[in-house]
Amino acid sequence: MDVWILGSAQAVAVKAADLCTELIQRKPDARLGLATGTTPQALYAELIRRNQRGRLSFSRVETFNLDEYLGIGPEHPRSFHRAMRESLFDLVDIDPSNAHLPAGDCDDPATEAEAYEALIGARGGIDLQILGIGRNGHIGFNEPGSSLGSRTRVKTLSRATLRDNQLGEPDFEAPSMAITMGIATILDAGALLVLATGAAKAPAVAAALEGPLSASCPASAIQLHPRATVLLDPEAAAQLRLTEYYALVDRARRRLAADSS
Ligand code: GLP
């Protein structure tokens, strides 16, 4: 794991945007795995800025979101379809037919989940999967207890996730189930880009990066991926034990970059 403890949440967004930009410039038809939630919003804002300045084009990029609530359609104000359109798709030059999410309003969720998993495979797999971490250690909607070998399927959301997703909107009753990529689906991506910011994420980040590999903390599965980059602000990194080592790696990285320039 390549762990970067950056100076601020904005520095996390800029570094994440740099990594996405590098990939898309190298491979204009890159397949990106996307996440919803608060954490990637600053990254999306940065990608929109770069797109609008003509530095980055999504015209051939294809995207696959991690998850969607079950029982609500793409126009529902709290659907992840809508959130993604409003925070990224409508504001960049992506072809809407290349932006995929599971259909939350499908008639047969199990079949929809299987079809979504098959679509990712048929398109050639995800090059870079962006991930946030839930306060309970979930990735996508893989709640604690999810099999580390799981594939895209229907999951029941935990009370903790329902509470977190309810925040700020006491009148909205969040759906209690979702379709989510599985942990094995996520681990199939060519590379992972994990983002966490803010003190509320510190315990989950410590468990994910330095705790045991366990279904009790689905984000610990990141440890299995040979190409996982983790970008943290100081608050989210506050409970890590190996910070001295991460700083050492960072210094070595800077030395190498200076030598090669
Ligand atoms: C949500 C999503 C996840 C997201 C996580 C953290 O429920 N299903 O993909 O990473 O919770 O969200 P946030 O970034 O808002 O803390």
Side-chain angles (χ1 to χ4, degrees):
M1 282 178 299
D2 200 7
V3 180
W4 296 61
I5 302 172
L6 297 155
S8 65
Q10 182 55 22
V12 167
V14 170
K15 180 69 194 166
D18 287 349
L19 295 173
C20 294
T21 305
E22 255 167 54
L23 168 67
I24 296 169
Q25 284 173 347
R26 183 163 41 82
K27 187 176 180 202
D29 59 348
R31 292 177 296 274
L32 275 186
L34 300 178
T36 47
T38 323
T39 314
Q41 295 309 311
L43 160 64
Y44 297 154
E46 184 60 29
L47 292 175
I48 291 163
R49 259 195 298 279
R50 293 179 189 202
N51 181 248
Q52 291 177 350
R53 286 192 198 131
R55 288 180 51 202
L56 175 68
S57 173
F58 289 84
S59 60
R60 294 174 57 204
V61 170
E62 192 164 10
T63 63
F64 296 88
N65 264 79
L66 284 165
D67 44 20
E68 177 57 287
Y69 287 123
L70 259 190
I72 60 177
E75 297 307 327
H76 190 286
R78 284 297 307 263
S79 72
F80 288 167
H81 277 79
R82 176 89 170 252
M84 286 308 303
R85 283 204 305 277
E86 288 173 357
S87 62
L88 185 67
F89 302 150
D90 284 354
L91 304 163
V92 296
D93 62 342
I94 193 164
D95 175 348
S97 67
N98 279 339
H100 311 284
L101 291 93
D105 56 352
C106 56
D107 292 333
D108 179 350
T111 305
E112 169 64 15
E114 269 177 43
Y116 194 68
E117 176 84 23
L119 175 71
I120 296 170
R123 302 301 300 153
I126 291 168
D127 295 303
L128 177 69
Q129 175 65 56
I130 294 159
L131 291 171
I133 300 184
R135 288 201 301 162
N136 64 357
H138 73 216
I139 45 175
F141 270 136
N142 294 284
E143 298 285 31
S146 293
S147 161
L148 300 180
S150 52
R151 295 279 162 191
T152 306
R153 70 214 182 290
V154 174
K155 280 299 286 184
T156 300
L157 306 183
S158 68
R159 282 190 200 286
T161 296
L162 286 175
R163 257 195 318 272
D164 282 353
N165 292 356
Q166 198 82 27
L167 282 183
E169 287 192 65
D171 295 338
F172 172 69
E173 200 181 319
S176 57
M177 298 182 103
I179 293 181
T180 181
M181 281 188 207
I183 297 176
T185 318
I186 292 169
L187 292 177
D188 276 349
L192 303 181
L193 178 55
V194 185
L195 314 177
T197 54
K201 297 295 171 68
V205 166
L209 304 192
E210 297 177 350
L213 173 66
S214 162
S216 298
C217 177
S220 66
I222 296 161
Q223 297 173 25
L224 288 171
H225 202 291
R227 292 189 61 216
T229 301
V230 185
L231 306 181
L232 306 170
D233 70 356
E235 290 77 17
Q239 292 185 24
L240 292 173
R241 283 177 289 108
L242 299 175
T243 38
E244 211 179 288
Y245 178 69
Y246 304 137
L248 207 66
V249 174
D250 191 44
R251 277 201 293 279
R253 202 161 31 210
R254 284 172 204 276
R255 257 199 319 275
L256 272 177
D259 288 352
S260 64
S261 66

